[in-house]
Amino acid sequence: GGLLRANSPFTDALTPGERNSIWRRIGLVQFMGYYLDAAADLALELSDAAAITGIAIEELTIWQSRAPLEIDKEHLQRLKLVVALHKALVELAPDRDVRRRWLREESATFKATPLTLLSEGKAGDVLDNLAGSTNLTLGPDNLPRMGNR
């Protein structure tokens, strides 16, 4: 595919800026797919997603059927938090119902529900806790190997 694109007679049909814009758009569409899958798996209500991301419910509703043309850096970071949270939870709890319950049940560690903390802008605390929990699940097979062992 790369060779075909490199030798295509259509390379001059678009400027480098136009090609870069198309690739950014494709990347954004793919990322929104990851975000929407994560939000659906965690059963995030639009109101919860809006509180976590700082993006208006109306905008999120539109994005469910059509990816945005652009996302500012701050909102993109918040969307990435949802994807990172989901990835960590999948590692710890393969069962979707367990992930959903964990998000909504009060945690003795947090003295609140993780969903509440996320909505209050404390995603870093939740992700740090999950990172520690994920590390505890590592076994010898997860460690890097040195030499031919």
Side-chain angles (χ1 to χ4, degrees):
L3 289 173
L4 285 173
R5 283 190 297 278
N7 294 302
S8 170
F10 300 109
T11 53
D12 294 332
L14 298 173
T15 67
E18 290 169 325
R19 278 193 298 281
N20 289 338
S21 178
I22 289 169
W23 284 115
R24 277 192 305 274
R25 177 79 175 125
I26 289 169
L28 191 53
V29 168
Q30 288 175 331
F31 172 75
M32 285 307 298
Y34 295 135
Y35 166 76
L36 292 171
D37 288 346
D41 183 80
L42 297 172
L44 287 180
E45 299 289 332
L46 281 173
S47 58
D48 294 327
I52 294 167
T53 63
I55 300 168
I57 291 174
E58 298 78 21
E59 191 87 10
L60 289 171
T61 302
I62 292 169
W63 291 359
Q64 288 180 332
S65 60
R66 185 183 62 209
L69 296 175
E70 289 183 7
I71 299 177
D72 65 66
K73 192 173 182 176
E74 178 185 342
H75 290 124
L76 182 60
Q77 286 305 112
R78 292 180 181 182
L79 291 166
K80 285 180 179 180
L81 288 172
V82 173
V83 174
L85 170 74
H86 179 254
K87 183 176 170 99
L89 285 173
V90 167
E91 286 289 317
L92 290 169
D95 185 295
R96 182 183 68 183
D97 292 332
V98 171
R99 293 190 294 270
R100 290 178 175 182
R101 270 195 314 276
W102 178 87
L103 195 59
R104 289 162 179 80
E105 289 179 355
E106 184 161 333
S107 162
T109 304
F110 298 132
K111 305 283 190 262
T113 68
L115 185 58
T116 299
L117 293 174
L118 292 168
S119 297
E120 292 174 352
K122 298 177 182 170
D125 295 343
V126 176
L127 287 172
D128 286 347
N129 180 271
L130 283 176
S133 298
T134 302
N135 288 337
L136 293 176
T137 65
L138 295 177
D141 293 337
N142 302 110
L143 298 175
R145 301 206 190 305
M146 303 295 283
N148 292 330
R149 292 183 192 191

